Every structure is written in structure tokens, then in C-alpha cells.
Amino acid sequence: MKFLNLLKQGTKHVLKQETKNIFKLILTPIIGTLLVAYIFGHNAFIENIPFGIVDNDNSTLSRSVIQQLQLQPGLNVNYYLDSESELEEAIKDKKVNGGIVIPEHFGKDVSAMKSPSALILADGTNMVLGGNALGYASAVLGTLNAGVQINVFQGRGMLPPVATQTISNFSYVNRVLYDPQSSYLRNLIYIIIPFTAQMAFVTSFLVPLLLEKKKEFACIKMRSKEGVGSILNLIGRIFLISTVTVISTFIALCIVRKLYGIPLRGEVLIYIAIMYLFLISLTAIGLVISSIVNNLGYFLLFFNTINQILIMTCGVTYPEYMMPDGFAQAVKFIWPFRSAAIPLKFLNLKGVGWDVIFPYIKDGLLYTAFWLPVGIILYSAKIAFTKNRNKKSLDIKEDSDGNLLDIKEELIVELN
Amino acid sequence: MFIMKEKIVHILKKVKQLKYMLSPILKKTLRFKYMLVPFTILLVLPPVCTCILGYEFSAHSVSKVPTVIVNHDDTSTTQGLVNQIKTNDKFNVVEYSQNDNDVKSLIDRGKAAVGIIIPANFSKDLTDGKAPKIMVFYDGAQTSVAGAGKSKIAEILGAIKAGYLIGIGEGKLGMMPEVVANNINPIRYTSRIIGNPTSNMTNFFLQGTLLNMVQISMAITAILVIKKGNSYKVIWIKGIIVALIGSISSFLVIGILYKYFGFPYRGSVKALVVLTIIYDIGITFFGVLQSISKNGDKVEAISSCGIIASTMMFAGYTYPVIAMPNIFSIITKYTPFSYYAIPLRDLSLVGGTFKDILPDISWLAKFMIIMWIVTFLKYISNKRPKKPKKARKGKKIRKDEIANTDEVEVITG
């Protein structure tokens, strides 16, 4: 009964201390995820790409090519120029992101079976726009080419249905599993969620708390009632905020699923396991960081600067097997983001089970098994070192519980 | 042994003397630790990050796409297709199988990004005109890898299709070999990608990502070096110093990418220098503004700098603005990063002169001046004594709410 009362009191106290962080950790992943979904989820396809035309032929066929390009929804044919160099300039000036140059005698050469070649120019500085413009334009030319092929075969005495069948006889079907539209949103959203959660958890809660506790622990005797209470308070706060983060990220996923049709296929239990393990791993490395760093400002500068590296190296934007030897292993050893980002994407997008997720969980467990003891040892050593230094330099008085008297405030000031 | 001991004692004595001599300098230096540490981080960290990311992306474009092939038709036609994929550098065939389910299973586990299923009797059905279909599966969870595989598969199958049609032309239609190629491909096209001929994705996003790191770093450094009691003159000088260090950091980033990782820079160096310095001053003063606005609360000020990281997204640096909701076409116009990183990418990939980027420089210069004016006005408004809030009748005022005023009576609970 006494224990239950203590637990109740402790929980109340922790909730009171962390009210601000609870709101922050609820709102940050939800707002961050919604913003990204709003931006990337607006259009499944990139359409209306400004496209230029240089028609040096002005024949029926060249006009037909232009008409087909105008009908292609991916392109916005809005610029007509006189030469290839003008088109190139227009691309450089960002007036268009792509264009086509139809050569002189194009129609005539097609009729004479001279196989003339059109030139498609694309903006390489913006690969997304340029690449899509190139794709759309080549699809139009491919369709026209098939049409002319059928005419050629008919001209050689083939019956129209046979000619059509011959042309389409050799074909293949492309299927993109789990994300048929290859959307930018589905590619990114599953890593944005642990990313925003990590950002808020580490910078707003974990490291500030560990730095604050470091100062507190340096002023109290750890084996006293106050010391044990303070450690339990630290564990309770980390557990509370971790739970809030797991719930809030899940809510964020549910919202984007509802609003943008993002798949949420895996087991919730696996999701919880991955997220808790990720947050425990972050706590482990957080202990290491806060044993080295004393100034929160310096840490925030450091973390905010390197933050994007964590996304770029997690193996989602660039495949792990393309990285130099040992690179992925080094990343895995230093920071736990990769062990959460990839399994979360596989789980939610593919709906995979424990068998696929287990290697990533194993990575997370190994990471924690190494860094948590290292973190605890370094953190404790730092506290012991600070205590020792202060004992040497100050006249210390202790009360019956072993707590330091009078100088607590001065110590805190000095540690700051 | 004795000589060694004597030598060590001598060295220790010398070190002690040196330490004593340097102690006043060290003490003075430590007084500026609050500036030296952020300056060092700003100067060193982005170049280090450049080395890490440059090394990571050193292979540039994606190749060796893990592929699984299920071939149910063991004929010379399909063997030719399999061989073309096997010998192509773009693919790495991780498994040959006879079970269609292996494609899904390997893609599920992330072991393959492309799966090809050639149906049974493919060659026979092709000859009989039954239009058999090769199925090509891509892993939607590995977009960059699948994308690289997709274009190459289209190329290989396109070539095989052309070969097949040439066969038809020569066989069924009795065309001459030298004529048939033009006949089965009456309209051809070539393509040229301006500024990035190899479609290198790294060239597309890496520079901007790293410069985004520098801009966040500069704004936070400005917050860390400004002290609460600093005059505007001191704040302004500190802001300029931070921006200049940030600019050096940016130049190092671009230089390292160029020298060690094959990232091109084809534009005018003068344009790069002017564009970077003006932009960096403007962004640094955004940090200064946060510092002044939050009245010395550095953590709060740093938190409000988070928006800077999003400017890469708002500028449409990787994802085009035309695909975003309409509101972003307006937001982009007021996002400084779009007047810096995008012209800089153009300078790097396409080339260009100082004159080409004058409109961007002009916009950024206005932004910089506006930031100076805004920070100054905010500084002045903060200096003015604030009127204390009137307490509502019957409401007790907490001690911390009026900690900065001495005009209201303190009522403690």
C-alpha cells in the first residue's frame, strides 16, 4: 500500500515536471509529419512541367508530335523557340525544364524511312523536373513511333490487326510493389516520423534533462534516499516521455493514413517494439553525450548541424550496399537512427512480420547493449569526477543524510 | 637511467614554466570560450560533414541493383535476356529461381529491389503471336534503387524488342537488312541532360544539403555568441563575424566537394563569393533576431531557428514547387534559400557569370538590409521600459511573473 502511494505520488510529480515536454513531444511529430504530408502529398504525380518546342520542320507530322505533347498532362507546352541554342538558354534561365527540337525535313524523312532523330533537352540541375519531362516526352515519341511502325508493316502488306498485334506482341509489364505511384511522400514519410521524434526527444527532453540531472547528482549522495529518488525520477521521466513519443508518432501515422492514404500495414506490437528500442538506444547515446558535454547550447549547435546527416546515411535515401565498405557499419555503430528508420518503413509500407524485422531489432539491441553500459559508466564517472573536484576545492559540510549543505547553489552556478 | 630521469624532470620544469608564462593568455582566451567553441564548430563541422557525405556518395549513381530472375522458359531468346541483365553493371543478380513467390519474398526482406519473371513458353508464344508478357517487379520501398533499375530494364527490353521486330521485318516481310532497322524504328530520339549529363543524383542534392547545415549552424552560432547586455553595435559586429566564418565554412564545403568528390563548379568564383557572403549575413541576422526576440533565452531562440532547416524544402530544392500546394508558390518567393542554393547549383552544374545571378544578389541584399533594420528595431523596442501588466482584481500575481519589475507589489502565495 505504501509502495502504491509512493508510486502515485512519484507519477504525479513526474507528470507535473514534464507537462511542457509532453505537449512538445505530442505536437512536434504530428505537426512535422502533417507539414511534410501536406507538401509532398498534394500531387501524386509531377505534372504541368514547363516544356519548350523548337519546330524546324513545320510539317503535318511535326505538328502532330507537338499536339501529342500538348495533350500529355505531365507537360505544359508553353514556350516556342526558333533554335536549339535558344531552347538551351530557356532551360538555363528556368523558363522551361525541358524541350524538344524537331529537325528540318522530319516529316519527309519519316515518310522516306530515313529514321530521323528528334532531340529532347532536359534540365539536369533539377533532376526531378528534368527527369520527368524527359520521361513524358519520350513516352509520347514512343507511342508515335509505334503508330508509324504499324503503318510501315501495313504498307508492306500486313493486315491492320496483324500489324498491331506484331508491334504489341513483345511487351513487358512494370509493377512497383507497395507504392505503385512511386510517390515522394511514401518514400519519405516513414523516416520523417522517427526523425521528428528523435529531434524533439533528444534536443527538447533527453539531453537537457540529463545535463540538469548531472548537476543535481553532483550535489547529492547517490546512496541516500534523495539519490535513489532522483534516479527513479530520471527513469520515470524518460519512460513517460518515451511512451508519449511512441503514442504521438503512431497518432501522426494514423492521421496521414486517414488524410493521404499512406499505408499502415504492419503489426502495432512490432511498431511499439521498434520505437521503444529506438528511444532506449537514444537514451544510451544521450548518456554518453551528456557525460562529455556540459553546455546545452553547444550541444544544440552540434546536433542541429549534423541532424541531416542522420537522414542521408540511414540507407533510405541511398542504398546501403552502394556505400563504401564499412561505412554502413560505422553509421550503425555511432547512431541508432538506421535501426529504426528502415524497419519502420518496411513494416508500414510492406507489412512485414517479425522475421524480417528481427535483424534490425537485433542491431538495436546490440547497440543498446554496448552504449547503455558505456553511457552509464561515463555519466557516473563524470558525476564522480565533478564531486571529487568540488570536494577538493571547497569546504564541504554534509548533513546526516550525506547531502551537501550551503554550497549547493554555488556549485550549480559553477557547473553552469 | 639517471640521465633519462634528469631529462624528464627538465622537460617537466620547462612545461611548468611555459604554462606559467601562457597562463594570462590562456585566461584571456578562456574568457572568450563562449565564442571560440561555436566558431570552431561552425568552421569545422560542415567541412567534416562534407567529407562524410562525399565519401558515402562517392559511387555517385546507383548501380548493382540487387535483382532476382525467375525464368520459366529456358530458350535461347530468354537466355539472351538473362545474360544481358547478368552482364550489365547496373544489375547484380542475387538469385535465380523457379518460384514466383521468391520475388516477393526477397523484395519483402529488402534483399532484392528488382524481380523479373519470364513466363513459361515465352519464346513459343512470341512466335505464335500470343503476346506473352514479361513481368518486372520493383521494390517501392527502395525508390532510388528501383528507379535506377527501371530505366535500364526499359533499355534492355527495348533493344530485345527491336531485335525481335527486325527478325519479323527480315523474315515475314522480306525486307533487306540495311533497310529494316530504319523501318522498324521510324522515329528516333536522342536526349541531352543539360548541366548533369550523367543524371547524377548526388550533384542534384548534396551541395544544397550541406549548405543547409551551414545556414542552421550560423544562425545558432549567432545566438550563442550574443550576450544579453550587448549593445547593438557589438551584436552587429558579432553577427558579421559569424557570417564571415560561415561563409568560409561554405567555401570549404564547396571546395572539398569540388576537389575530392568530383562535384563540378563551372561558374564564376566572384559570383559564388558575393552570393554566399550576402546570403550568410542575412541568415545570421535571422539568428540575431531570434536572440533579441527571446531576450537572452538561448534554448528558446535556438528552437525557433528550426524553421531555417525547412527552407530547403520550401525553396523546392529537391521536390518541385509546381507539385506542392499553391500556397508554396508564394512562400517560395519569400524564402531566401531559393535565391541562394538554387542559383548556386546552376552556377555549379551549368556555369554562369556574376551578371547572371544579379537578380538573386539584389534580392538577397534587400533581405540582408531588412534583417539589419528589423533586428535594430527589435533591439530598440526591447530597450524601452515595459509597462507592467495590470493585475486583475482578485488575482494573485506570481512572483516570477513580475520578477523584472519593481513597481508592482509582490504577493506571494
Side-chain angles (χ1 to χ4, degrees):
Chain A
M1 200 62 191
K2 203 182 168 188
F3 173 75
L4 278 175
N5 273 341
L6 271 173
L7 192 72
K8 210 174 158 185
Q9 268 183 356
T11 312
K12 259 188 185 173
H13 185 58
V14 165
L15 277 170
K16 208 176 165 187
Q17 282 176 312
E18 291 300 336
T19 316
K20 202 178 159 190
N21 278 327
I22 288 172
F23 280 109
K24 236 179 199 174
L25 267 297
I26 288 175
L27 293 177
T28 310
I30 294 176
I31 292 172
T33 310
L34 276 177
L35 178 70
V36 170
Y38 178 61
I39 293 174
F40 299 140
H42 183 66
N43 279 320
F45 300 104
I46 294 162
E47 293 183 325
N48 286 318
I49 301 170
F51 197 78
I53 302 280
V54 179
D55 185 4
N56 290 328
D57 186 37
N58 203 17
S59 63
T60 318
L61 184 64
S62 73
R63 281 195 293 274
S64 168
V65 170
I66 296 165
Q67 198 183 10
Q68 291 303 314
L69 288 168
Q70 283 167 334
L71 289 173
Q72 164 62 252
L75 301 173
N76 174 20
V77 179
N78 61 351
Y79 222 69
Y80 296 87
L81 305 115
D82 294 325
S83 67
E84 186 186 326
S85 57
E86 278 184 25
L87 177 61
E88 204 172 321
E89 273 310 303
I91 291 174
K92 283 179 185 170
D93 292 344
K94 305 282 171 212
K95 286 171 184 155
V96 290
N97 296 100
I100 188 167
V101 182
I102 302 171
E104 262 184 281
H105 314 302
F106 181 73
K108 224 173 162 183
D109 287 349
V110 169
S111 305
M113 290 303 148
K114 285 185 180 169
S115 191
S117 181
L119 172 68
I120 303 172
L121 294 182
D123 181 5
T125 62
N126 193 327
M127 290 292 298
V128 179
L129 287 174
N132 275 295
L134 180 61
Y136 292 135
S138 52
V140 167
L141 288 180
T143 310
L144 283 167
N145 189 41
V148 182
Q149 274 173 343
I150 291 171
N151 287 340
V152 169
F153 279 29
Q154 284 177 23
R156 292 272 171 180
M158 248 187 201
L159 289 169
V162 180
T164 311
Q165 194 203 27
T166 307
I167 296 300
S168 59
N169 194 23
F170 187 105
S171 61
Y172 65 97
V173 180
N174 276 330
R175 289 258 188 282
V176 180
L177 298 178
Y178 320 112
D179 184 12
Q181 295 171 337
S182 300
S183 71
Y184 214 73
L185 180 61
R186 287 187 190 194
N187 186 32
L188 277 184
I189 201 75
Y190 303 108
I191 53 169
I192 291 295
I193 287 186
F195 183 73
T196 50
Q198 165 184 272
M199 185 74 192
F201 184 79
V202 173
T203 60
S204 299
F205 164 72
L206 185 69
V207 173
L209 173 69
L210 289 173
L211 290 178
E212 178 200 311
K213 281 283 175 186
K214 191 166 78 174
K215 290 169 199 168
E216 193 184 315
F217 290 149
C219 304
I220 55 175
K221 198 169 184 181
M222 298 306 288
R223 284 180 194 166
S224 68
K225 205 174 156 187
E226 196 186 350
V228 174
S230 190
I231 292 171
L232 287 176
N233 175 271
L234 174 66
I235 295 168
R237 284 164 82 173
I238 292 173
F239 178 72
L240 173 74
I241 294 297
S242 299
T243 308
V244 168
T245 309
V246 173
I247 295 169
S248 69
T249 50
F250 189 70
I251 291 171
L253 270 175
C254 291
I255 295 173
V256 286
R257 181 199 187 189
K258 183 94 183 147
L259 295 178
Y260 296 94
I262 293 297
L264 216 59
R265 296 189 174 115
E267 271 181 51
V268 178
L269 201 64
I270 304 178
Y271 179 81
I272 293 170
I274 295 169
M275 281 306 289
Y276 265 117
L277 188 58
F278 176 48
L279 296 168
I280 294 168
S281 307
L282 283 177
T283 306
I285 198 71
L287 279 165
V288 177
I289 292 168
S290 45
S291 63
I292 301 164
V293 177
N294 285 325
N295 187 312
L296 181 62
Y298 299 162
F299 168 73
L300 291 176
L301 170 61
F302 177 83
F303 191 78
N304 279 288
T305 306
I306 63 149
N307 204 12
Q308 284 176 63
I309 273 207
L310 304 174
I311 272 200
M312 308 291 282
T313 55
C314 77
V316 172
T317 50
Y318 194 63
E320 199 176 286
Y321 72 86
M322 285 301 296
M323 296 174 191
D325 289 341
F327 188 89
Q329 281 68 28
V331 171
K332 230 188 290 181
F333 177 72
I334 295 168
W335 198 261
F337 186 67
R338 185 205 161 272
S339 308
I342 293 182
L344 279 177
K345 189 170 184 179
F346 280 11
L347 174 75
N348 291 309
L349 190 61
K350 298 182 174 181
V352 293
W354 286 103
D355 55 327
V356 175
I357 298 297
F358 186 71
Y360 297 98
I361 289 191
K362 197 177 133 197
D363 281 348
L365 285 171
L366 285 173
Y367 182 92
T368 311
F370 177 79
W371 284 111
L372 194 60
V374 170
I376 292 170
I377 291 166
L378 286 176
Y379 193 69
S380 312
K382 180 74 186 199
I383 292 163
F385 172 77
T386 314
K387 268 185 180 173
N388 192 33
R389 197 184 63 182
N390 291 332
K391 253 183 194 171
K392 272 184 187 172
S393 59
L394 292 162
D395 181 23
I396 290 169
K397 290 173 186 173
E398 291 180 1
D399 64 8
S400 52
D401 284 337
N403 292 335
L404 307 179
L405 287 175
D406 306 326
I407 54 145
K408 210 184 240 183
E409 287 304 313
E410 285 94 307
L411 261 179
I412 290 169
V413 169
E414 196 194 290
L415 281 163
N416 276 325
Chain B
M1 194 68 186
F2 181 74
I3 298 165
M4 273 282 277
K5 206 176 169 185
E6 226 176 31
K7 264 189 178 174
I8 290 167
V9 171
H10 182 71
I11 290 166
L12 283 174
K13 259 186 188 174
K14 285 271 177 197
V15 169
K16 224 174 181 180
Q17 276 176 358
L18 197 71
K19 211 175 160 185
Y20 181 74
M21 275 164 65
L22 289 174
S23 65
I25 302 166
L26 272 172
K27 266 184 189 172
K28 273 188 182 173
T29 315
L30 282 175
R31 266 183 60 207
F32 295 105
K33 189 184 157 193
Y34 78 99
M35 288 205 283
L36 288 176
V37 175
F39 283 167
T40 313
I41 293 175
L42 172 62
L43 190 65
V44 174
L45 203 53
V48 170
C49 291
T50 308
C51 294
I52 294 170
L53 290 184
Y55 181 60
E56 180 193 353
F57 293 102
S58 50
H60 292 283
S61 50
V62 175
S63 62
K64 294 189 170 39
V65 175
T67 306
V68 50
I69 297 177
V70 180
N71 186 3
H72 294 297
D73 180 48
D74 198 15
T75 58
S76 58
T77 313
T78 56
Q79 276 307 321
L81 167 64
V82 171
N83 274 339
Q84 282 209 40
I85 291 168
K86 198 170 82 178
T87 51
N88 196 303
D89 191 45
K90 213 61 175 184
F91 301 99
N92 170 28
V93 182
V94 289
E95 199 162 316
Y96 296 95
S97 170
Q98 287 300 313
N99 187 352
D100 292 357
N101 292 333
D102 284 352
V103 170
K104 189 174 185 301
S105 160
L106 285 167
I107 289 179
D108 269 353
R109 282 185 280 146
K111 302 285 178 206
V114 173
I116 300 166
I117 300 177
I118 303 167
N121 304 320
F122 176 79
S123 302
K124 192 173 173 293
D125 289 349
L126 198 64
T127 318
D128 296 347
K130 288 183 181 169
K133 278 189 169 56
I134 292 174
M135 302 287 290
V136 187
F137 295 91
Y138 303 95
D139 184 358
Q142 299 186 63
T143 322
S144 58
V145 189
K150 214 173 181 175
S151 55
K152 207 70 204 173
I153 289 271
E155 209 176 280
I156 290 172
L157 290 174
I160 290 175
K161 184 178 180 176
Y164 157 75
L165 290 175
I166 286 173
I168 297 272
E170 286 177 5
K172 283 189 182 171
L173 304 175
M175 289 181 191
M176 297 298 285
E178 60 270 22
V179 182
V180 73
N182 285 349
N183 275 261
I184 64 109
N185 205 8
I187 298 176
R188 286 185 295 125
Y189 70 87
T190 51
S191 60
R192 189 150 61 88
I193 300 169
I194 295 166
N196 194 2
T198 53
S199 303
N200 190 332
M201 284 303 280
T202 315
N203 288 356
F204 169 52
F205 67 79
L206 194 55
Q207 188 188 63
T209 307
L210 289 160
L211 293 174
N212 195 22
M213 284 180 194
V214 178
Q215 63 164 350
I216 298 161
S217 199
M218 275 187 311
I220 298 176
T221 303
I223 292 166
L224 292 177
V225 300
I226 292 169
K227 284 195 163 181
K228 210 178 172 183
N230 282 160
S231 68
Y232 189 78
K233 192 178 154 192
V234 173
I235 290 174
W236 190 87
I237 292 169
K238 282 181 175 176
I240 295 290
I241 293 170
V242 171
L244 291 176
I245 294 173
S247 299
I248 295 169
S249 193
S250 302
F251 300 143
L252 285 172
V253 165
I254 295 164
I256 291 169
L257 282 176
Y258 176 77
K259 185 135 177 85
Y260 300 104
F261 299 106
F263 191 94
Y265 187 82
R266 301 187 176 108
S268 137
V269 175
K270 188 178 146 195
L272 161 75
V273 172
V274 175
L275 196 69
T276 303
I277 291 176
I278 294 179
Y279 176 75
D280 286 356
I281 294 174
I283 279 296
T284 304
F285 275 80
F286 178 82
V288 171
L289 179 66
Q290 298 312 313
S291 177
I292 297 172
S293 304
K294 303 294 173 189
N295 222 354
D297 187 339
K298 291 187 190 302
V299 176
E300 275 297 309
I302 291 171
S303 297
S304 35
C305 280
I307 188 80
I308 296 175
S310 318
T311 57
M312 186 172 163
M313 192 163 64
F314 298 155
Y317 192 79
T318 51
Y319 188 72
V321 180
I322 56 165
M324 294 181 193
N326 292 338
I327 181 84
F328 284 93
S329 55
I330 301 164
I331 292 173
T332 307
K333 279 184 193 162
Y334 297 99
T335 304
F337 199 68
S338 45
Y339 297 89
Y340 172 57
I342 293 175
L344 197 57
R345 184 168 62 188
D346 292 346
L347 279 174
S348 304
L349 299 180
V350 182
T353 59
F354 185 77
K355 212 179 144 193
D356 294 331
I357 55 149
L358 264 179
D360 301 298
I361 288 180
S362 158
W363 195 96
L364 289 174
K366 282 178 207 159
F367 166 66
M368 178 184 79
I369 292 164
I370 289 169
M371 288 316 298
W372 283 345
I373 296 168
V374 172
T375 47
F376 181 69
L377 291 176
K378 188 72 197 163
Y379 175 82
I380 296 289
S381 79
N382 276 8
K383 280 275 159 188
R384 280 191 196 147
K386 280 177 189 161
K387 282 183 185 173
K389 282 178 191 169
K390 277 185 183 172
R392 262 188 286 160
K393 213 176 179 183
K395 187 196 171 191
K396 284 183 179 182
I397 303 168
R398 281 169 59 89
K399 197 175 182 178
D400 56 355
E401 280 178 9
I402 50 168
N404 294 326
T405 63
D406 48 15
E407 293 164 28
V408 182
E409 190 187 352
V410 178
I411 307 159
T412 51

